[in-house]
Amino acid sequence: MSVGSYQKQSSSSGLITLQANAQQASNFAKFAALMPKAIKAAERRAINKTIRWLRTHIARSVSQQERIAVTAVRQRLRAFPVASNGQGKLWFGLNPIEASRAGRPRQSRSGVSVAGRSYQGAFFRTVYGSKPDIWIRTASKHFNPDDYPTSEVSARGGASSGWVGENSSRFPLAKAKISLEEVRPHFESWTRKAHQRLLVVMEQELNFELLKYLRRLGNG
């Protein structure tokens, strides 16, 4: 019959024997039966927490690397919680981002500056929609297609025949944007870091499930 842990002493030594008593052994058996459910719950929380952690760190990293306000980068990141297939996802929109969102645009006689970038010949004004953006006339001698990605310029009438890609109507203006192509090489590194973080959080969540069960027994 199991009597649990006990100690025994003699004149020359002491011996401690650790052993679960019958009630404890029964409780462990019950927890083992609950393990699949507990593990699933721990896994779901761990993935969701890691996705949020990854979103925060990617936003900071891209913000620093590309000199873009972190709030603007966060808007390009969308977290999807764990689905029935056990997968959580983090979506990152990599289309060029409006330069006006990189920081606080400042208009001067020569053009517009924002977040350490200068757009000579450009102006900060509301053209389409309700919010101002940084625009340039495509006929301007300062127009550089690299600073205005995705704003397609028609070759039919020379540089003065511009097409605003977002509007699809002919208008000799292009919107200043910032390419996010330079962040692509970092995806492998981010994935590796996220997996390492997931292992740490998973261990924490499994410990939480065990402690939760043990507290329930103590209150029972």
Side-chain angles (χ1 to χ4, degrees):
M1 182 176 181
S2 176
V3 295
S5 302
Y6 59 92
Q7 59 88 22
K8 185 186 293 184
Q9 298 183 43
S10 68
S11 60
S12 60
S13 65
L15 179 68
I16 297 176
T17 300
L18 298 178
Q19 178 179 329
N21 60 31
Q23 182 60 48
Q24 290 171 329
S26 174
N27 289 338
F28 290 148
K30 290 177 182 177
F31 180 70
L34 292 172
M35 277 298 284
K37 185 177 179 180
I39 288 176
K40 278 293 182 185
E43 180 184 35
R44 185 173 60 253
R45 289 196 306 271
I47 292 175
N48 287 338
K49 286 183 177 181
T50 304
I51 288 289
R52 292 194 295 270
W53 174 88
L54 184 60
R55 182 175 184 264
T56 297
H57 283 265
I58 287 180
R60 289 176 185 169
S61 175
V62 174
S63 173
Q64 293 171 0
Q65 177 184 319
E66 301 299 326
R67 293 177 296 159
I68 300 173
V70 69
T71 52
V73 180
R74 285 199 193 104
Q75 291 170 356
R76 287 296 187 93
L77 291 159
R78 187 176 303 168
F80 294 90
V82 177
S84 57
N85 62 1
Q87 295 179 344
K89 296 182 179 182
L90 180 66
W91 177 88
F92 190 0
L94 291 175
N95 288 334
I97 192 168
E98 290 84 352
S100 60
R101 296 169 60 193
R104 181 177 295 179
R106 298 184 183 278
Q107 181 76 62
S108 68
R109 284 186 177 183
S110 60
V112 181
S113 61
V114 59
R117 296 175 174 84
S118 295
Y119 297 92
Q120 270 195 298
F123 54 91
F124 184 56
R125 190 180 304 166
T126 300
V127 176
Y128 295 117
S130 58
K131 294 183 179 179
D133 267 303
I134 301 171
W135 301 89
I136 192 172
R137 292 178 178 84
T138 56
S140 170
K141 64 179 181 180
H142 299 295
F143 176 67
N144 180 355
D146 292 340
D147 291 332
Y148 302 86
T150 72
S151 288
E152 302 170 3
V153 179
S154 169
R156 287 180 300 172
S160 62
S161 296
W163 290 78
V164 177
E166 302 80 12
N167 190 267
S168 76
S169 63
R170 187 174 180 177
F171 200 77
L173 291 178
K175 184 191 294 186
K177 293 188 178 183
I178 301 168
S179 172
L180 294 178
E181 288 298 310
E182 293 299 318
V183 308
R184 289 184 183 274
H186 298 288
F187 270 84
E188 185 176 347
S189 171
W190 289 334
T191 301
R192 204 162 48 240
K193 290 176 182 178
H195 185 70
Q196 293 168 354
R197 177 66 180 175
L198 176 60
L199 296 178
V200 173
V201 181
M202 184 67 183
E203 182 179 350
Q204 295 171 350
E205 293 301 325
L206 285 172
N207 286 335
F208 173 77
E209 286 292 331
L210 177 59
L211 290 173
K212 183 172 68 174
Y213 183 75
L214 293 177
R215 283 198 297 268
R216 191 185 310 160
L217 292 177
N219 295 331

